[in-house]
Amino acid sequence: MNPATRTLLLTWAALLAVLAMSVAVALLALGPWSIALNLGLALLMGGLLVANFMDLLSAKPLIRVFALGALLWVFLLFVMLPVDYLTR
Amino acid sequence: MSDGATIASHFEDAEQQREAGLMGMWLFLATELLLFAGLFGGFAIYRGLHGDAFAAAARHLDLPLATANTVILLTSGLSMALAERMAHAGAPQLARRWIAVTVALGASFLAIKGYEWHHEYSEGLMPLLGLAFEYDGPDAAQAHLFFDFYFAMTGLHALHMLIGLAALVLLWMLGRPRAGLQPDRYIRQVQITGMYWAFVDVVWVFVFTSLYLLRS
């Protein structure tokens, strides 16, 4: 099998495995740990999708900078949003 | 012109043209990410303020159906990535087959989502357009807010799916053997549409996690 195709299939299998773990964590109801674990697993799935299905892993540095820029703005949004609520 | 590629006059070569297309798409997706991030940010704040009520409301959603739908959408991500691979390998007709598979999976996702919405409508859990909200648990006002977020997030996601499906059907038609295909241009179109489709997958992963999985 072509290595690129193999990577895609492995990514898909990994995504399904992480999805199964996420649902299991949600059903086990571990309280606050569930939230942290579920968000971590969602980030892992998002990372796998962006890296291999959106080709960021093999992209040129300038394109990675654009992708990083998008994350930076989201990071700023999520840092500044609770600041408003925590300082009221 | 080099190796038969159609290069617009403002580009040096085919590679620069391809990279510019990808960068443009990333820039567009960055704005899309911020659009969804605003919704997720609002949800996170209210999830923090009304944790128990939101968790109880989340348990009214159909987790098995949504999990099956997530499997379908992730598989459509694979089929679209395979379409890109085939287009790059110089096999546009194979790419079209994978695009058709992606369209079928995407349409299945939307059909299941529609069924789920109808189920929530019949349970009185659709607080839209003046419909009555008949919630059978405590904290009905907070549950109302949860379902507002639920329909806003899944609705906006479904709208993006529809746009993606329209783009995929267009790609499928453009790739017909007699459509006067320009191979290098088709590869760029498939790759850029594939990025959008994968982005829709990424958004769904977070929609699914936020709404369905945070139930305790």
Side-chain angles (χ1 to χ4, degrees):
Chain A
M1 190 191 292
N2 181 312
T5 308
R6 187 202 302 266
T7 304
L8 292 179
L9 286 173
L10 286 176
T11 304
W12 175 71
L15 283 167
L16 294 190
V18 178
L19 173 67
M21 281 164 65
S22 300
V23 174
V25 165
L27 292 176
L28 283 174
L30 306 170
W33 285 106
S34 284
I35 297 179
L37 277 170
N38 274 134
L39 291 181
L41 291 170
L43 283 172
L44 183 57
M45 288 169 87
L48 280 169
L49 284 164
V50 171
N52 291 329
F53 285 4
M54 291 176 83
D55 300 325
L56 196 63
L57 212 56
S58 56
K60 293 249 168 96
L62 190 57
I63 290 178
R64 290 193 205 179
V65 169
F66 269 59
L68 211 62
L71 275 185
L72 176 71
W73 286 111
V74 171
F75 173 75
L76 286 176
L77 176 74
F78 278 95
V79 168
M80 298 314 283
L81 198 61
V83 166
D84 173 26
Y85 281 86
L86 293 174
T87 54
R88 282 187 184 186
Chain B
M1 297 224 179
S2 62
D3 56 43
T6 46
I7 304 167
S9 60
H10 51 290
F11 292 116
E12 295 275 338
D13 52 34
E15 182 63 10
Q16 190 193 40
Q17 177 163 268
R18 196 181 74 86
E19 296 290 321
L22 290 178
M23 269 191 329
M25 195 59 190
W26 270 107
L27 194 57
F28 168 68
L29 292 180
T31 67
E32 288 279 272
L33 187 63
L34 283 168
L35 170 71
F36 279 101
L39 262 178
F40 282 111
F43 180 84
I45 292 292
Y46 285 106
R47 179 66 177 71
L49 291 174
H50 312 298
D52 291 341
F54 270 43
R59 291 195 289 273
H60 284 70
L61 299 177
D62 194 333
L63 181 59
L65 203 57
T67 305
N69 233 0
T70 308
V71 172
I72 289 173
L73 199 61
L74 292 174
T75 308
S76 82
L78 171 69
S79 60
M80 192 58 210
L82 288 171
E84 283 179 66
R85 211 51 78 198
M86 292 303 126
H88 273 294
Q93 294 317 309
L94 278 176
R96 279 182 80 228
R97 279 191 207 167
W98 284 116
I99 289 170
V101 171
T102 310
V103 169
L105 290 168
S108 308
F109 175 93
L110 282 181
I112 292 173
K113 194 71 227 155
Y115 169 80
E116 214 184 323
W117 280 335
H118 180 265
H119 181 68
E120 279 131 18
Y121 163 75
S122 54
E123 297 271 306
L125 297 174
M126 190 185 258
L128 301 177
L129 306 167
L131 290 171
F133 184 63
E134 293 157 6
Y135 184 72
D136 59 4
D139 307 317
Q142 286 81 2
H144 190 295
L145 193 56
F146 174 87
F147 278 96
D148 286 339
F149 273 112
Y150 169 77
F151 284 104
M153 289 159 103
T154 56
L156 190 62
H157 177 263
L159 177 67
H160 281 77
M161 292 273 305
L162 276 177
I163 294 167
L165 280 177
L168 287 175
V169 170
L170 195 64
L171 264 189
W172 186 81
M173 286 163 63
L174 284 174
R176 277 174 307 169
R178 282 193 225 164
L181 192 70
Q182 296 172 344
D184 61 307
R185 192 173 182 192
Y186 195 62
I187 291 171
R188 292 200 305 273
Q189 289 167 335
V190 172
Q191 191 173 16
I192 283 177
T193 313
M195 274 176 62
Y196 176 86
W197 193 258
F199 173 79
V200 170
D201 275 21
V202 174
V203 169
W204 176 256
V205 163
F206 287 96
V207 169
F208 175 71
T209 300
S210 306
L211 295 170
Y212 291 87
L213 296 184
L214 305 186
R215 48 175 50 211
S216 64

